[in-house]
Amino acid sequence: MELFRNPNIDFLSKKWVFVSLSLALMLVSIASMGIRYAKTGSILPWGVDFKGGTLVYVKFTSTPNEDHIRAAMDRAGLRNARIQRYGLAANNEVLIALEQKETTEQALDQGKNQIIKALDTNTPEGKLDLNNIGYSSLHRYLLEKDPMRAGTNAEQTYSELARTIVDYRDKTRGGVLNSVGDIAGVVPAQVTQLLQADFFTSGFGVRNVEIVGPQVGAQLRKQALLATLYAMLGMLAYLWFRFELIYGVAAVAAVFHDTIITLGAFSLLNMDISLTVIAAILTLVGYSMNDTIVVFDRIRENVKTLRREKLGNIVNQSINQTLSRTVLTSGLTFLTVLSLFLFGGEVLRGFSLALVIGMLIGSYSSIFVASPMLVAYQEWRAGRSGRAGKPTPPERRERAKAKA
């Protein structure tokens, strides 16, 4: 499909405008990271995945009020807790992330209990919470009370009953019960009556708890950085082999430009960088590189056929020839990630935001950063050799590769 018929836009005539824009965006990004480092000792707002801490996934029986939850955390002394809605709004689910500097697993587990205690503010005296009791505790309780007078079959009988209640709460009712009476009809009446006497239901249930130690977080941060660097080096090596070294350098510089600006946006917006955000950045590294290679490939083809043209003119023609493909591919991909950003929910917010920014910057850099850099280098080299504006003869490169 051809979106534009024979476009003839002089992209390179405005190269200094776009070079200035890119430098300004990079400077703002680097300045933001520098200011953050001066204030916090970290250049980026790393999430709990990288800093270590406790993630508690909580489901409420009614629409949770984030201000009330934050106030409860503050009263419990958990002032750095991050509160975030996730999933569908009707599911009433909230993620509470607690950063912790302690290195012991006991301290991290204590953080989880602090969050549960902070939320559980209306506990009746002497009663247990049926929404947050585990299978083992419930089994022990039923075995001790023995409401069925099960005799020698008590162990098996109450094990099955405890499992039935927990499964009904977690699988059938989504993790929370509105009242103890909800289990009537699920278990024998004697058990229901006993639980109604000794249990209550809080307005929330902890669905899952994840604990990340600080050492693991530091290791993940190092691995994420290395993964990004290795990806860039691998692409540089491929482009060096496939085209020329300058093509690889220009493409990697454009990808580095995209990554710095995307990370700078997260620093400016103070949004946590999680593992999913790193995954999105690696995705956009590949996307931006692919977009740049398409333009470079057309430049290489045109250099072979338009030998008398200056490289600047060849690059302009190449960008115009691939413009329909760039707009269609990038536009449709952008609509997809924009939908993910708007409707994907809070859990995917960081991931989708990184992709939205990356898609825009990646398409921009393939035209206005990588290609002008290629022309600038060739003109500089031609100036030194006295062949101003002449591209490198393709046959010589082909012969050199054939010999290699």
Side-chain angles (χ1 to χ4, degrees):
M1 180 177 178
E2 196 173 30
L3 192 62
F4 304 105
R5 187 174 296 276
N6 300 322
N8 187 25
I9 303 171
D10 187 2
F11 291 98
L12 292 184
S13 66
K14 305 294 183 187
K15 62 183 177 185
W16 293 116
V17 174
F18 294 108
V19 167
S20 301
L21 175 62
S22 292
L23 288 175
L25 290 174
M26 291 183 69
L27 285 175
V28 169
S29 299
I30 293 171
S32 172
M33 289 187 266
I35 293 171
R36 175 175 294 279
Y37 180 78
K39 289 182 177 178
T40 65
S42 175
I43 61 172
L44 292 171
W46 297 108
V48 172
D49 292 350
F50 295 102
K51 289 192 296 188
T54 305
L55 299 175
V56 180
Y57 297 83
V58 185
K59 180 180 175 68
F60 290 83
T61 53
S62 58
T63 304
N65 186 311
E66 294 179 38
D67 292 335
H68 291 172
I69 297 172
R70 194 178 306 282
M73 295 296 116
D74 289 346
R75 285 195 297 272
L78 307 175
R79 299 187 182 281
N80 294 325
R82 178 168 58 88
I83 298 159
Q84 173 182 312
R85 293 286 299 270
Y86 74 97
L88 298 174
N91 290 343
N92 302 325
E93 294 171 317
V94 171
L95 167 64
I96 301 175
L98 181 65
E99 299 173 12
Q100 295 196 307
K101 296 179 181 178
E102 292 82 356
T103 57
T104 64
E105 289 295 324
Q106 292 80 2
L108 295 171
D109 192 55
Q110 186 181 5
K112 175 197 70 176
N113 294 330
Q114 284 180 306
I115 290 175
I116 295 174
K117 187 176 179 181
L119 293 174
D120 199 0
T121 56
N122 297 314
T123 304
E125 185 69 25
K127 289 201 172 188
L128 301 171
D129 185 1
L130 190 59
N131 273 337
N132 289 298
I133 194 170
Y135 161 78
S136 298
S137 299
L138 184 58
H139 178 213
R140 284 197 301 272
Y141 168 82
L142 291 174
L143 199 59
E144 179 184 344
K145 296 294 183 180
D146 192 15
M148 303 288 293
R149 302 294 183 264
T152 56
N153 293 326
E155 179 69 28
Q156 182 179 354
T157 300
Y158 295 122
S159 173
E160 292 174 356
L161 283 172
R163 178 57 61 194
T164 300
I165 294 171
V166 170
D167 284 350
Y168 176 73
R169 180 194 66 194
D170 293 344
K171 297 179 180 177
T172 306
R173 300 298 299 272
V176 287
L177 300 170
N178 291 319
S179 69
V180 179
D182 288 353
I183 63 170
V186 178
V187 294
Q190 303 95 310
V191 176
T192 304
Q193 291 171 2
L194 174 67
L195 296 182
Q196 284 179 324
D198 290 345
F199 279 78
F200 78 105
T201 53
S202 61
F204 68 94
V206 175
R207 297 285 288 150
N208 190 24
V209 177
E210 296 177 4
I211 296 175
V212 181
Q215 291 181 346
V216 174
Q219 186 178 4
L220 288 174
R221 193 164 59 238
K222 180 181 177 182
Q223 289 176 338
L225 178 62
L226 289 176
T228 307
L229 290 176
Y230 290 156
M232 288 186 180
L233 288 175
M235 293 173 184
L236 174 63
Y238 167 75
L239 288 174
W240 188 0
F241 173 76
R242 187 74 175 81
F243 296 87
E244 278 185 82
L245 178 59
I246 183 57
Y247 284 81
V249 171
V252 169
V255 169
F256 181 74
H257 156 277
D258 303 343
T259 306
I260 288 292
I261 293 176
T262 304
L263 291 176
F266 274 77
S267 177
L268 284 170
L269 297 173
N270 196 30
M271 288 189 67
D272 284 354
I273 295 180
S274 63
L275 284 172
T276 58
V277 172
I278 296 298
I281 289 174
L282 287 173
T283 302
L284 76 88
V285 164
Y287 174 84
S288 176
M289 188 64 75
N290 180 64
D291 219 29
T292 304
I293 287 174
V294 169
V295 177
F296 280 1
D297 207 38
R298 183 57 60 92
I299 291 173
R300 187 181 60 167
E301 291 175 3
N302 286 337
V303 164
K304 294 179 182 177
T305 56
L306 305 172
R307 301 181 182 185
R308 297 184 181 278
E309 290 282 343
K310 290 185 176 180
L311 183 61
N313 296 334
I314 294 174
V315 169
N316 257 331
Q317 288 186 42
S318 303
I319 295 174
N320 278 292
Q321 289 168 1
T322 56
L323 192 60
S324 290
R325 178 263 174 203
T326 301
V327 172
L328 282 171
T329 305
S330 302
L332 293 175
T333 309
F334 178 75
L335 288 178
T336 304
V337 297
L338 183 63
S339 300
L340 192 65
F341 175 71
L342 294 176
F343 309 113
E346 286 297 329
V347 170
L348 295 176
R349 186 72 70 198
F351 176 80
S352 55
L353 177 62
L355 288 178
V356 166
I357 297 172
M359 294 293 172
L360 288 173
I361 297 296
S363 299
Y364 160 83
S365 68
S366 65
I367 296 175
F368 297 111
V369 176
S371 299
M373 191 177 297
L374 185 65
V375 175
Y377 170 78
Q378 296 287 17
E379 288 180 347
W380 171 78
R381 195 174 70 168
R384 291 189 63 189
S385 64
R387 295 188 304 105
K390 296 294 183 185
T392 302
E395 302 87 349
R396 197 166 64 196
R397 296 198 302 273
E398 298 297 336
R399 285 198 298 270
K401 287 178 182 178
K403 289 178 181 177

